[in-house]
Amino acid sequence: MNNQPIEEIKNPQLIEAMKDMLRHNNDKTRGKLAEALMDARLLSPILRQTVLTEKDGPSTRIKFEDIQDTKGDKYYLAFTDMDEYAKWNTDETHDQALIMTMEDFGNILIRNINDLKGFVINPFGENVSISKGLLLSLLKQREARQHAPKGN
């Protein structure tokens, strides 16, 4: 996460890769999607909650927004840009989001004790869900490539 303005978040390669995969779901399009995902920076809406404690005074907790599918499974929300975010935020009551990478989502999914299955990108657009298992596998593959000895 960095200090880039939310309005600047755009993911044209990821959007194109999701559309290609939705049109032709095969190894090639899934590979392109995985590659685009790993470079993506997505918007994830949050709720800030102030919690009062007797010893330390007020502190802030962040709760990530989620969405439930027709089977009752819950997913974190992720948006490629402000236009997609606005499709979900039609009542304009959600005014805070974090800029997230796949590592950020991975850290949240493996650390939180919850029943969330993963995250969904553009639920009112391309609607591509990434399971916790798939994300962790992609992160492990990338780490293995980064630590692999370089060929001559």
Side-chain angles (χ1 to χ4, degrees):
M1 293 180 268
N2 73 6
N3 295 331
Q4 181 180 9
I6 285 176
E7 295 76 23
E8 290 181 12
I9 297 297
K10 309 266 186 224
N11 289 280
Q13 294 88 357
L14 177 58
I15 293 168
E16 193 58 37
M18 288 190 297
K19 288 178 179 178
D20 286 349
M21 198 247 346
L22 292 169
R23 280 191 297 266
H24 307 285
N25 187 353
N26 56 44
D27 288 344
K28 182 179 178 183
T29 58
R30 286 189 299 271
K32 285 179 82 173
L33 175 62
E35 189 176 313
L37 259 179
M38 299 314 284
D39 293 332
R41 300 170 58 71
L42 301 170
L43 301 174
S44 189
I46 59 168
L47 292 172
R48 290 183 194 260
Q49 302 168 325
T50 301
V51 179
L52 297 176
T53 59
E54 288 183 31
K55 289 183 181 178
D56 301 326
S59 64
T60 302
R61 283 191 189 156
I62 293 175
K63 178 186 181 298
F64 287 86
E65 298 272 6
D66 58 56
I67 193 168
Q68 192 168 338
D69 68 11
T70 55
K71 295 183 280 186
D73 292 332
K74 292 181 182 178
Y75 294 84
Y76 288 117
L77 292 163
F79 299 97
T80 54
D81 52 54
M82 284 304 293
D83 292 339
E84 289 296 328
Y85 187 95
K87 290 178 186 178
W88 168 75
N89 189 24
T90 55
D91 61 2
E92 298 182 3
T93 59
H94 304 277
D95 61 352
Q96 296 183 2
L98 292 179
I99 300 170
M100 305 280 287
T101 64
M102 292 308 106
E103 288 86 359
D104 296 327
F105 279 111
N107 287 334
I108 291 166
L109 286 167
I110 60 174
R111 290 197 178 134
N112 279 353
I113 309 289
N114 59 40
D115 58 351
L116 274 74
K117 302 292 184 190
F119 65 98
V120 62
I121 305 169
N122 296 349
F124 299 98
E126 292 78 20
N127 193 28
V128 172
S129 59
I130 306 298
S131 70
K132 184 187 304 189
L134 174 59
L135 176 59
L136 296 179
S137 173
L138 291 172
L139 290 170
K140 283 180 186 175
Q141 289 173 38
R142 180 160 83 179
E143 187 176 330
R145 280 194 305 274
Q146 289 172 343
H147 290 84
K150 304 287 184 222
N152 292 340

